[in-house]
Amino acid sequence: MKRLDNKIIFTGPVGAGKTTAIGSISDVPPIKTDAAASDMTLHRKSHTTVALDYGVLNLDGGAKVHLYGTPGQERFDFMWDILSTGGIGLILLLDNSRPNPMKDMQFFMNAFKDFLRDAPLVIGVTKTDLKPSPSVKNYAEILARVDQRPPIFEIDGRSRDDVKNLVMALLFSIDPGLEG
């Protein structure tokens, strides 16, 4: 991580907390492209990201991490490739209260498989207060079966410390010599 400007992508299904997570850690007011939900998303929330979310995290020494959040709806998947271009890593947020978060994990890992060939992955599981199962251990067991072992955290996207832990785990996976 020798560059002064780095780009991290946040992805996951609608309602997983991407917009909230970026807002909680950004050192500048985040840019959001929310629009009123007009489809099945309306059952989960009133507004949804239609293009991107954007924030900046300033690190010591003048380095910056640009934080890009993808739309969660598959109909906006053309934005996923656009936003991930030049990215150094992927943070996948999973909403544990959705009907099948394991399927969501598999879907997004497959959707970003080309990106993940060269970039590390970190997973944050949200809304475990609403639905504690599956556990982080369950996710890790499923991933280990396919020889994947990304760092996995239970997080609250509103917590700057929780989101910072995700970002730092991603940065440490790129450069284990980084100081905290």
Side-chain angles (χ1 to χ4, degrees):
M1 206 180 84
K2 301 192 185 331
R3 300 177 353 197
L4 288 180
D5 287 298
N6 302 280
K7 180 178 179 182
I8 292 177
I9 312 306
F10 284 72
T11 197
V14 170
K18 301 174 297 289
T19 301
T20 301
I22 288 172
S24 73
I25 197 168
S26 180
D27 290 324
V28 300
I31 295 170
K32 304 173 190 175
T33 59
D34 286 353
S38 60
D39 57 7
M40 62 191 159
T41 302
L42 191 54
H43 299 290
R44 297 200 65 80
K45 59 189 215 170
S46 64
H47 286 76
T48 189
T49 301
V50 294
L52 62 97
D53 295 314
Y54 173 76
V56 177
L57 179 62
N58 295 311
L59 302 177
D60 293 339
K64 292 182 180 184
V65 178
H66 299 272
L67 312 166
Y68 287 86
T70 70
Q73 297 178 62
E74 191 174 353
R75 67 183 171 140
F76 297 118
D77 66 352
F78 64 92
M79 288 299 299
W80 301 351
D81 287 335
I82 292 168
L83 293 174
S84 61
T85 299
I88 62 169
L90 184 72
I91 293 177
L92 172 56
L93 296 182
L94 298 169
D95 175 353
N96 226 38
S97 71
R98 285 177 52 95
N100 194 340
M102 290 285 193
K103 186 176 178 182
D104 292 337
M105 178 180 68
Q106 292 167 338
F107 173 81
F108 279 92
M109 287 180 66
N110 185 57
F112 284 86
K113 70 178 184 245
D114 291 340
F115 180 68
L116 292 172
R117 283 191 189 114
D118 299 317
L121 169 69
V122 172
I123 297 174
V125 182
T126 65
K127 301 183 185 175
T128 56
D129 57 326
L130 301 176
K131 187 177 170 210
S133 181
S135 68
V136 168
K137 182 180 177 185
N138 297 138
Y139 287 102
E141 289 168 351
I142 294 294
L143 288 164
R145 289 184 203 153
V146 293
D147 202 29
Q148 297 280 326
R149 290 175 179 77
I152 305 171
F153 299 87
E154 184 178 304
I155 71 142
D156 180 337
R158 299 168 294 190
S159 166
R160 181 174 174 87
D161 288 340
D162 283 4
V163 179
K164 185 177 178 183
N165 286 339
L166 288 174
V167 171
M168 293 309 294
L170 188 66
L171 295 175
F172 285 132
S173 69
I174 295 166
D175 183 355
L178 286 175
E179 293 185 26

